Structure formats: structure tokens, C-alpha cells
Amino acid sequence: MGWNSLDDMDLSGKIVLTRVDINVPVKDGVVTDDTRIQRILPTIRDILSAGGKPVLLAHFGRPKGQVVPEMSLRQVLPALEAALGREVTFVETPSRDALDALPADAVVLVENTRFTAMEEANDPQMAGFLASLGDIYCNDAFSAAHRAHASTEGVAKLLPNCAGRLMQAELSALEAALGNPERPVVAVVGGAKVSTKLDLLGNLVSKVDHLVIGGGMANTFLAAQGIDVGKSLAEHDMTGTALEIMEKAKVAGCEIILPVDVVVAREFKAGAENEVVAADACPADAMILDAGPETVAKVASVLETAKTLIWNGPMGAFEIEPFDAATNAAAKQAAELSKAGKLISVAGGGDTVAALNKAGAAEDFTYISTAGGAFLEWMEGKTLPGVAALG
Ligand code: AMP
């Protein structure tokens, strides 16, 4: 795979610079959700048990190269200590001597890397300074790996390096889903717009066997085929692009699955009066808010035969019931197949995680990435600088 894991490194007596993502939500100085902290604990614990001294590097918020007290990582310290069950040493301006002077089993958290503009500029001077602080670099922040910053990319090139446990899990799951997947591979892509997912669709049609297009973006594909989608959310200026994607899919041998029936309503609100109509029969004064039961059945039959599923974006306006039905049905089925060992399912991207959680399906997916932007860029087939720098 081209990168090392913690198991490949001799960590004993070493200072291990560990890039993590603890950009957690904070209200009035208190962490309100420590999920991101929980997810880096295995890495910290494994470094400690191998005799290394973890020195955590992280960003917090967008201070834009300035020291902004409200964006100090100091406020994350109590939640980190509580999760880890031990004391963590906070340092504003680290020095090698000071880090060496700490006990061998110390855990250190360094102040917000973005308090200097050198971080986002990937300034070699900052990368060099960071490298001078440690012996080994460990990147456990997949969610920041799409950015080439001093603490995610520059420093990695200057030290022996490895992926942390969370990064390792992300990369293994992504490799299983798109790198060298078991076929047939199905992708479900939904969400509001085609325009935000152009690169993603373009990459997927050359990689997967079936591409289910749902959500608002399916309306654009229906419109591209000359279908009147009434008042539906659709990007009429993107219909040419939609046709190009369909052509590319045809050449690549990828089957595109669009809704054959749809749920329409006159209002975008929960409980709005609705009806199921054929995909080409949306009334002029109505909008498509979900895929219909026949479409759900079609997706179900594709999922039955699939070995791998990759999912981004809801199949309908999932936040407002009952327009979450198609998303829920497909998500539950994918979860059951995964639980039964018949399907490898990987999902990610902001709204996707919320949609799968709402469907009660998230738990049984093989892997759910919480990495947002990095996950999308990876699905787009882009090289992530923070990953490329490892190895
Ligand atoms: P995205 O951020 O691109 O993944 O889009 C997710 C958003 O798309 C969610 O807020 C959904 O409510 C919305 N969405 C999905 N299907 C539709 C639809 N048919 N009409 C309007 N909005 C939709």
C-alpha cells in the first residue's frame, strides 16, 4: 500500500509527532461532541505501549495564521484528558529540549498549528522546525490529508513516517472499496447538485459497474433526457454535462440507474401531501423529493448481487419525512447485507453520515468515513497530499 503502520516502526524511546484531527465542536469553552477525540485514542495508546512519546499536532478552527485565543487548543485539553484517562501536557511553543525533558510516557498537545500562516503555506521552515521536534512522524488525520500543509505534508517528507490507526482504517476501507474492490461494485450518489459532484461522478463511472444517481441531482439527469421535472430542484444549465457523464459511463461499461418513479409534492416540508408518479410524469406545479418504490426495488436488486458499495449523498430530501423513504430503504438493506458478510459497504461525506444515522443503518456499514472533504476528494480519484507524503 506504500505506507507504514505503527507496527512497522520502532517507537521505543522516540518522540512521535502525531498529526490528529481534534477540531471538535466547542460551546462556551466546553467540548460538546468528543467523537473525533475518541477516534484518535487507539493511536495514542499504541504509541505509549510501544514506548514512544506522542506529541500531538492539530489545527482548530480557521484562525488564518493569527493567534486567536478563542481558537486555542487549550480548551480541548480537559476533554482529551478525560477521554484518555490521564494528564496531557499542553505546550504553546514547543522546543526539542523541553519535550526531551518530559517523562518518557508523557502525552503532549501542541497549540493550534494554524496560529502561524506558515502552516497552510506549507512553509519549509515550519516543516523543518516541526521535524526537529521529533524522531518519527505519524499521520492520523485522514480528514486533513487533502490539504498540503506543513503539519500534514511538509514534515512527513522529513522524517521516517507512518499512518496512525484511524488513518490506517480509512485507507484500508477506501482501498477495499475503490482501489482493488471485489466486483460488482455499486456506487450510490445522491445529494442536491450535479455541479458539486462533477469530478466524483466522472471518476466513478470509470471505476464502478453500477452507478445509482439519486436526490436532486437525478432531476438534472432526467431533465437532460428531455423530461419535464416541473418545479423540482434541477440544474438546467448542467444538462449537457449530465449527458457527457452518461456517454462516458456507456463507453466504460458502467450502468447508470436513474429513478423510474418518483415521489412528488407541492411543498418542501415534512408531511407535505405527496404522490408517486412515473419519473417522466412530474406535474408542472410539483417537485420531485424522493425516489419511488419501483426505483427502490430496482436498487435493491442491484445491491443483492453487489460485492462492494460506495455511497455518498442521500437519495431524496431525507431531512423531511416521508421523503427519507428511499434513502432509508437502501441504507437498511445495505446494512443488513454488510452484517451478513455479503457486502463491503463504505460511505462518507457530511450529509451521508447524517442520513445513514437517521436510517439506523450506520452501525452495520463496513466503514463510515467522517472525513468530509478528504473522502470526497478521494472518491474523485485525486491524490491526497497527506497520504502521498507517507512512505
Ligand atoms: P449534498 O450536500 O449535495 O449531499 O446534498 C444533500 C441535500 O440534498 C440534502 O439536504 C437533501 O435534502 C437534498 N436533496 C436530496 N434530494 C433532493 C430533492 N429531490 N429535492 C431537493 N433537495 C434534495
Side-chain angles (χ1 to χ4, degrees):
M1 287 202 189
W3 42 269
N4 298 312
S5 80
L6 285 169
D7 304 317
D8 301 312
M9 315 301 284
D10 176 10
L11 305 176
S12 179
K14 308 276 172 57
I15 291 183
V16 186
L17 291 176
T18 308
R19 180 58 161 95
V20 293
D21 180 1
I22 46 173
N23 197 14
V24 288
V26 167
K27 198 164 181 263
D28 302 326
V30 176
V31 173
T32 54
D33 177 354
D34 77 343
T35 309
R36 282 183 161 162
I37 294 175
Q38 293 292 339
R39 297 191 94 191
I40 60 159
L41 298 182
T43 295
I44 300 175
R45 292 196 176 121
D46 285 358
I47 293 171
L48 286 170
S49 59
K53 194 187 286 183
V55 174
L56 309 181
L57 305 174
H59 71 279
F60 189 69
R62 294 176 188 268
K64 304 212 166 92
Q66 306 293 318
V67 176
V68 181
E70 301 78 59
M71 293 182 197
S72 170
L73 271 173
R74 200 182 276 280
Q75 58 202 322
V76 177
L77 194 66
L80 178 61
E81 289 183 321
L84 205 52
R86 49 167 296 160
E87 193 187 328
V88 174
T89 307
F90 185 77
V91 274
E92 251 162 47
T93 34
S95 75
R96 178 71 199 220
D97 287 346
L99 294 177
D100 276 333
L102 289 169
D105 66 345
V107 178
V108 181
L109 173 63
V110 178
E111 181 58 290
N112 196 340
T113 53
R114 290 189 186 165
F115 274 3
T116 160
M118 291 195 287
E119 161 75 328
E120 293 187 60
N122 200 3
D123 190 306
Q125 205 184 322
M126 174 158 173
F129 170 70
L130 291 176
S132 75
L133 297 174
D135 306 301
I136 287 172
Y137 173 76
C138 169
N139 193 342
D140 209 25
F142 177 80
S143 52
H146 57 315
R147 314 246 183 254
H149 293 168
S151 73
T152 61
E153 202 261 359
V155 62
K157 292 183 165 162
L158 304 176
L159 286 176
N161 60 58
C162 66
R165 297 301 183 206
L166 179 54
M167 173 76 96
Q168 183 180 350
E170 289 269 1
L171 294 178
S172 303
L174 300 186
E175 175 69 14
L178 269 194
N180 191 16
E182 270 196 69
R183 292 190 179 273
V185 185
V186 185
V188 173
V189 179
K193 293 178 171 179
V194 174
S195 54
T196 56
K197 294 191 183 170
L198 264 187
D199 291 344
L200 189 147
L201 293 169
N203 184 45
L204 286 181
V205 293
S206 65
K207 296 252 168 77
V208 307
D209 304 297
H210 309 275
L211 172 60
V212 176
I213 298 180
M217 70 164 67
N219 303 338
T220 303
F221 279 82
L222 294 175
Q225 289 169 34
I227 292 172
D228 185 355
V229 293
K231 290 209 159 70
S232 302
L233 171 71
E235 293 166 284
H236 293 281
D237 56 339
M238 295 297 290
T239 51
T241 310
L243 291 177
E244 279 168 31
I245 291 169
M246 295 194 77
E247 187 52 36
K248 194 177 169 192
K250 206 164 154 195
V251 173
C254 165
E255 181 200 15
I256 289 198
I257 299 167
L258 287 171
V260 288
D261 60 344
V262 290
V263 184
V264 300
R266 265 109 191 142
E267 289 173 287
F268 188 93
K269 73 167 202 208
E273 201 175 307
N274 62 83
E275 58 185 314
V276 176
V277 297
D280 61 359
C282 176
D285 63 343
M287 57 192 147
I288 300 170
L289 290 181
D290 199 11
E294 219 180 297
T295 308
V296 170
K298 200 169 164 186
V299 173
S301 67
V302 175
L303 285 177
E304 279 299 332
T305 60
K307 289 272 192 303
T308 305
L309 164 69
I310 177 142
W311 186 327
N312 172 263
M315 286 181 62
F318 78 98
E319 302 96 331
I320 50 169
E321 284 167 30
F323 308 106
D324 56 351
T327 303
N328 289 351
K332 279 193 184 127
Q333 188 199 1
E336 276 162 27
L337 289 168
S338 308
K339 199 174 175 187
K342 293 182 182 156
L343 182 72
I344 293 170
S345 52
V346 176
D351 266 341
T352 315
V353 183
L356 299 185
N357 276 328
K358 188 162 181 279
E363 204 126 286
D364 289 324
F365 264 61
T366 312
Y367 193 78
I368 298 214
S369 172
T370 47
F375 180 83
L376 285 178
E377 289 201 19
W378 172 84
M379 262 182 103
E380 288 165 0
K382 294 187 179 146
T383 300
L384 307 182
V387 176
L390 295 179

